[in-house]
Amino acid sequence: MILALLIGSTGRKRETEMRPAEELRYLILAAQREGNRQLAHALRPLGVTPSQAEVLRLLAEHAPLSLMQLGELLVCEAGTNPSRLVSSMVQAGMVHRVTAPEDRRAIKLTLTDRGQETAAQVEQVEAELYAMLDASTAGFDRDSLIRWLGGLVANQPSGEAIERRKNPGTHYATS
Amino acid sequence: MILALLIGSTGRKRETEMRPAEELRYLILAAQREGNRQLAHALRPLGVTPSQAEVLRLLAEHAPLSLMQLGELLVCEAGTNPSRLVSSMVQAGMVHRVTAPEDRRAIKLTLTDRGQETAAQVEQVEAELYAMLDASTAGFDRDSLIRWLGGLVANQPSGEAIERRKNPGTHYATS
DNA sequence: ACAAAGTATATTACATGTCACATATTTTGT
DNA sequence: ACAAAATATGTGACATGTAATATACTTTGT
């Protein structure tokens, strides 16, 4: 502590408290980064990345989807076009991509057998991490947090993607 | 709703509630993404990205820093080596980079005049966004949230970076 | 004194977040 | 019927999150 004071007097600005909103900003960033790292680490043996895993699980639940529909449900890349992400998975033999019969501009995405297997493994990995997250919210008002965060991202692409996933069938472009 | 049931019966899995931990996962991801977008949009007139802005503000507060010290304080890229990020800013004339006299492996980073000016502008942009974030937490137990998130990221690189920023001088590698 | 081990930074590689633009197809308006 | 506008997807560019590797320098051990 004496050392800290000595360093502090070598031309440094006097230390100030970090503003709560600033701390919250960085904590949200930190939570996302560290969560993503843990997920990426757990998924590594399956040979998929977190974003790819999200696609696998969405297709397992909702296939067939067009690229746009998929983009509307993806949080990792909300509001954009996940063409490259899907291409990597077609290359890897996890996703089938065919031109949609009713609209030559569009494609239909489904999982291959391999994709189905990987999606099931992803689901297990996720369940383990969710159990850890459940444990960390024990004794904490999780529902309030969910409501607050939901309000924070409402009417923005990522927030809308989450809403669509919670209520499939009511937000879809007609397929 | 009738339509949703009809669509639901065309080979789709029966819809289920989204598990709260899963929702929380995606809400954190959404909050980070949308916050970053807003910040990037607000910073665009200054010609800097969110990560660069973080560097500017850290150097404004704590220069001179070595690359490793900077890496220890950065949340955006915690636990890694921000060499490319810093190089882009040296190129852009915002950061001075000189070899440290006491250790030829190391460098010392400081802001140029231009960097100082940009850092001040970044601070204003941030203040406006923090005010919005403050408004969104009115009536919400922000301190509990901060404590919970802090626990979630504790003992991980990003969380450690935040702690170091809150308590500069006690966590530094000696400079 | 010298070699081995450790360290600070730079570079490479892959994936991706974001935005802009290109191309082909479908829809709309006249 | 035809042109203009809109739309679905693919591609290019820049920045960066993450991990691995390379190089030069410093420290440690003998």
Side-chain angles (χ1 to χ4, degrees):
Chain A
M1 192 62 209
I2 301 284
L3 180 62
L5 288 177
L6 288 176
I7 293 179
S9 54
T10 58
R12 285 258 164 78
K13 290 188 63 171
R14 171 162 291 278
E15 318 303 359
T16 56
E17 278 282 303
M18 183 187 273
R19 175 174 173 170
E22 175 169 42
E23 188 173 6
L24 192 49
R25 161 195 178 186
Y26 285 118
L27 283 170
I28 289 172
L29 178 61
Q32 191 273 319
R33 292 286 197 267
E34 299 301 345
N36 203 57
R37 278 200 192 115
Q38 287 179 31
L39 179 59
H41 177 77
L43 291 173
R44 194 165 188 151
L46 310 188
V48 298
T49 65
S51 296
Q52 289 172 339
E54 196 179 345
V55 171
L56 285 175
R57 298 281 284 106
L58 279 175
L59 289 179
E61 294 279 347
H62 301 293
L65 290 177
S66 69
L67 200 65
M68 191 172 77
Q69 287 169 333
L70 179 65
E72 286 175 345
L73 294 171
L74 277 175
V75 182
C76 68
E77 200 175 344
T80 74
N81 163 348
S83 184
R84 283 178 320 181
L85 176 56
V86 166
S87 290
S88 72
M89 300 172 77
V90 172
Q91 286 277 81
M94 295 186 275
V95 173
H96 278 309
R97 177 167 53 185
V98 297
T99 302
E102 71 279 358
D103 185 342
R104 300 284 305 288
R105 297 172 298 182
I107 56 176
K108 283 298 169 189
L109 303 170
T110 53
L111 290 180
T112 61
D113 287 347
R114 177 170 169 189
Q116 295 277 4
E117 290 159 16
T118 310
Q121 291 171 312
V122 166
E123 188 171 3
Q124 284 173 30
V125 166
E126 285 177 341
E128 286 165 21
L129 292 179
Y130 291 152
M132 289 166 60
L133 189 51
D134 282 337
S136 76
T137 55
F140 180 73
D141 190 352
R142 182 185 60 191
D143 290 349
S144 277
L145 173 57
I146 286 176
R147 274 196 301 274
W148 179 69
L149 283 168
L152 195 63
V153 297
N155 301 313
Q156 297 171 72
S158 299
E160 287 171 347
I162 293 170
E163 282 306 303
R164 286 188 202 103
R165 279 159 79 156
K166 287 166 62 180
N167 304 285
T170 61
H171 300 269
Y172 273 167
T174 36
S175 57
Chain B
M1 193 61 212
I2 301 285
L3 181 61
L5 290 176
L6 286 176
I7 294 177
S9 55
T10 57
R12 282 256 166 79
K13 291 188 64 171
R14 172 162 289 279
E15 318 302 357
T16 55
E17 280 283 303
M18 185 187 277
R19 175 173 172 167
E22 176 168 41
E23 188 173 7
L24 193 48
R25 160 195 179 186
Y26 286 117
L27 282 171
I28 289 172
L29 178 60
Q32 191 272 320
R33 293 285 197 269
E34 300 300 345
N36 202 57
R37 279 199 192 115
Q38 286 178 33
L39 179 58
H41 176 77
L43 290 173
R44 194 166 187 151
L46 310 189
V48 299
T49 66
S51 296
Q52 289 172 339
E54 195 179 344
V55 170
L56 284 176
R57 298 280 284 110
L58 280 176
L59 288 179
E61 295 276 349
H62 301 294
L65 291 176
S66 70
L67 200 65
M68 192 172 75
Q69 287 167 334
L70 179 65
E72 285 173 348
L73 294 171
L74 277 175
V75 183
C76 68
E77 200 175 345
T80 73
N81 163 346
S83 183
R84 282 178 318 180
L85 177 56
V86 166
S87 290
S88 71
M89 300 172 79
V90 171
Q91 285 277 78
M94 295 187 276
V95 172
H96 276 311
R97 176 168 53 185
V98 296
T99 302
E102 70 279 358
D103 185 341
R104 300 285 307 285
R105 297 172 300 183
I107 57 177
K108 284 296 170 192
L109 303 169
T110 54
L111 289 181
T112 62
D113 287 349
R114 177 169 169 188
Q116 294 277 5
E117 288 158 19
T118 310
Q121 292 171 313
V122 167
E123 187 171 7
Q124 283 174 31
V125 166
E126 286 178 341
E128 284 164 22
L129 293 179
Y130 291 152
M132 288 166 60
L133 190 52
D134 281 338
S136 77
T137 55
F140 180 75
D141 191 353
R142 183 183 59 189
D143 290 350
S144 276
L145 174 57
I146 285 175
R147 276 196 301 275
W148 179 70
L149 283 169
L152 195 62
V153 298
N155 302 312
Q156 297 172 74
S158 299
E160 287 170 348
I162 292 172
E163 284 306 301
R164 287 188 199 103
R165 280 158 79 156
K166 285 166 65 180
N167 304 286
T170 62
H171 300 270
Y172 271 168
T174 36
S175 57

